[in-house]
Amino acid sequence: MKKSLLALAAGAFALGAAEFVMMGILPQAAEAMHVSIPSAGHFISAYAIGVCAGTVILVFGRKIPPKRLILAFIVLIIIGNLLSALSLNAPMLIAARFIAGLPHGAFFGTATLIAKSVADPGKEAKAVSMMVTGQTVANMIGVPAGTLLAQHMSWRMTFAALSIWALLTLLLVALWVPDVAAIKDAGIAGQFRFLRRRGPWFILGAVFVGNTGIFCWWSYVSPWLIHIGGFSASVVPALMMLAGFGMVVGGLSGGMLTDNWRHAGTAALGQSISAIGLLLVFLIPGSAVSTGILTFWVAFGLFFISSPQQILMVEAGEGGGELIGGAAVQVAFNLGNAVGSLVGGIALADGGDYHLPALAGVPFAVFAVVLLIVYSWRHETHTGAINRLRQVHPEAIGSTPETTQV
């Protein structure tokens, strides 16, 4: 991995851990802030709102070179997590979580542009997948580690550790990430001009409904593992590491396929994997083996689609809207998470059957597949495959001139 991609992946790790670790330390944070568990859910939603609001940073930062933007985003990560660790009451923690979420979408939009710029020709999606790997590794290692740190020391130490990690990331980015030219200044309105076309809305719609479907079930994966899989609560962190490993493998696999095939086609394949997984979660009665396999399966599909969707939106925004396009994916992703959790909770409330949230998510996931297929069919006619063909010289393979091929 290039050092520049490693530095960006470190930033993605900080964001991924900051976003999801609150779910693991919610009881400790709620007790310390003297609020109920349902009220503590605002600590999670505040981050998601910050992700959406943070896109405004890119609107007014379009003239700033991408590297400087990344450095500014990491400073916000440090401030947000440090304030979270020092929060004295619930309103202060909500505000701190909002600040921590501000750089999330903007970071991934900008980091995608840089990753494409430093990638070897024809390996752009692989480079983006390596950057996104930081977020998947955060789910595999960072979130379980943060949860254990909260259980054995303090939930505040979890956020303090993330601040230290982000500080080290700031140094890595300053040293290793090269200067990349700022995007074309198309003006404030010009950054959104690409959204006048139908194509980008197909992609964003697929991101939104796809994640809505998956998070109908994923939001309640821990109790599902306990009640359906028969695992004890102490084993759940290990299974979350298994899910994180599925995300890592899925993200890298999706990146490699994207470089050699249609971007939207790759995303449709990954979304299909997740949709089938959700259907199996509903249909299979459940055992330790099946729940373990399906946890890996759905997590694999969830991040298989990450790189192609990020690249699709950056490419859709070419001409001044690249950063907005990349950030919009994260906004749609987080909105899908929030809606999926709500829909899954409604399904779960109807009898308390932990199979039902997965069933509720299937129509959303299937709709996402349809959107991606339609986009690929109508808007992705040029795959770039002809540019990847190489000439085979007959003397190199011992053939006659008549068998020369391209």
Side-chain angles (χ1 to χ4, degrees), residues 243-285:
F245 179 63
M247 294 175 185
V248 172
V249 177
L252 293 176
S253 300
M256 288 187 288
L257 181 58
T258 301
D259 280 326
N260 294 281
W261 196 44
R262 294 171 179 254
H263 298 355
T266 300
L269 175 61
Q271 192 66 66
S272 299
I273 293 171
S274 295
I276 293 171
L278 290 175
L279 183 61
L280 292 176
V281 168
F282 171 70
L283 294 176
I284 298 177

Side-chain angles (χ1 to χ4, degrees), residues 197-235:
R197 304 193 304 269
R198 288 179 298 176
W201 291 106
F202 275 89
I203 303 166
L204 292 176
V207 175
F208 172 70
V209 296
N211 281 280
T212 295
I214 293 173
F215 277 84
C216 282
W217 167 73
W218 186 258
S219 300
Y220 307 95
V221 66
S222 294
W224 175 76
L225 288 167
I226 294 171
H227 293 282
I228 304 301
F231 294 102
S232 64
S234 61
V235 180

Side-chain angles (χ1 to χ4, degrees), residues 124-175:
E124 291 84 1
K126 184 178 180 180
V128 173
S129 70
M130 288 180 176
M131 179 272 292
V132 175
T133 295
Q135 188 178 22
T136 58
V137 171
N139 282 278
M140 182 174 69
I141 299 175
V143 172
T147 303
L148 291 174
L149 190 61
Q151 291 174 351
H152 296 286
M153 296 184 67
S154 168
W155 65 274
R156 297 180 186 276
M157 287 297 298
T158 300
F159 290 115
L162 285 174
S163 296
I164 295 172
W165 177 276
L167 185 61
L168 294 174
T169 301
L170 188 70
L171 178 62
L172 294 181
V173 170
L175 293 176

Side-chain angles (χ1 to χ4, degrees), residues 46-353:
Y47 187 97
I49 295 172
V51 174
C52 299
T55 308
V56 177
I57 299 173
L58 294 178
V59 175
F60 298 100
R62 63 189 184 278
K63 298 180 182 179
I64 301 174
K67 179 177 178 177
R68 289 175 58 187
L69 283 174
I70 290 291
L71 291 171
F73 299 149
I74 296 174
V75 170
L76 279 175
I77 297 172
I78 296 171
I79 294 172
N81 285 288
L82 189 58
L83 289 176
S84 297
L86 299 174
S87 293
L88 302 177
N89 50 50
M92 183 176 177
L93 183 54
I94 289 174
R97 290 286 292 166
F98 174 81
I99 294 172
L102 284 174
H104 190 109
F107 176 92
F108 279 100
T110 308
T112 298
L113 180 67
I114 295 176
K116 283 191 64 182
S117 299
V118 303
D120 296 327
K123 301 293 183 182
E124 291 84 1
K126 184 178 180 180
V128 173
S129 70
M130 288 180 176
M131 179 272 292
V132 175
T133 295
Q135 188 178 22
T136 58
V137 171
N139 282 278
M140 182 174 69
I141 299 175
V143 172
T147 303
L148 291 174
L149 190 61
Q151 291 174 351
H152 296 286
M153 296 184 67
S154 168
W155 65 274
R156 297 180 186 276
M157 287 297 298
T158 300
F159 290 115
L162 285 174
S163 296
I164 295 172
W165 177 276
L167 185 61
L168 294 174
T169 301
L170 188 70
L171 178 62
L172 294 181
V173 170
L175 293 176
W176 291 350
V177 174
D179 291 318
V180 176
I183 63 172
K184 175 185 176 182
D185 183 11
I188 293 178
Q191 294 179 88
F192 299 92
R193 189 174 294 116
F194 72 98
L195 292 176
R196 297 176 183 175
R197 304 193 304 269
R198 288 179 298 176
W201 291 106
F202 275 89
I203 303 166
L204 292 176
V207 175
F208 172 70
V209 296
N211 281 280
T212 295
I214 293 173
F215 277 84
C216 282
W217 167 73
W218 186 258
S219 300
Y220 307 95
V221 66
S222 294
W224 175 76
L225 288 167
I226 294 171
H227 293 282
I228 304 301
F231 294 102
S232 64
S234 61
V235 180
V236 172
L239 291 166
M240 291 298 95
M241 292 183 69
L242 175 65
F245 179 63
M247 294 175 185
V248 172
V249 177
L252 293 176
S253 300
M256 288 187 288
L257 181 58
T258 301
D259 280 326
N260 294 281
W261 196 44
R262 294 171 179 254
H263 298 355
T266 300
L269 175 61
Q271 192 66 66
S272 299
I273 293 171
S274 295
I276 293 171
L278 290 175
L279 183 61
L280 292 176
V281 168
F282 171 70
L283 294 176
I284 298 177
S287 65
V289 174
S290 66
T291 51
I293 292 174
L294 289 173
T295 297
F296 177 91
W297 182 325
V298 179
F300 176 93
L302 176 62
F303 274 86
F304 188 93
I305 63 178
S306 183
S307 296
Q309 288 178 337
Q310 285 285 158
I311 288 182
L312 279 168
M313 285 304 297
V314 170
E315 292 177 344
E318 287 182 354
E322 293 92 337
L323 299 182
I324 297 296
V329 175
Q330 296 298 318
V331 173
F333 185 98
N334 279 271
L335 288 175
N337 296 355
V339 175
S341 179
L342 176 63
V343 174
I346 294 172
L348 185 59
D350 187 16
D353 186 344

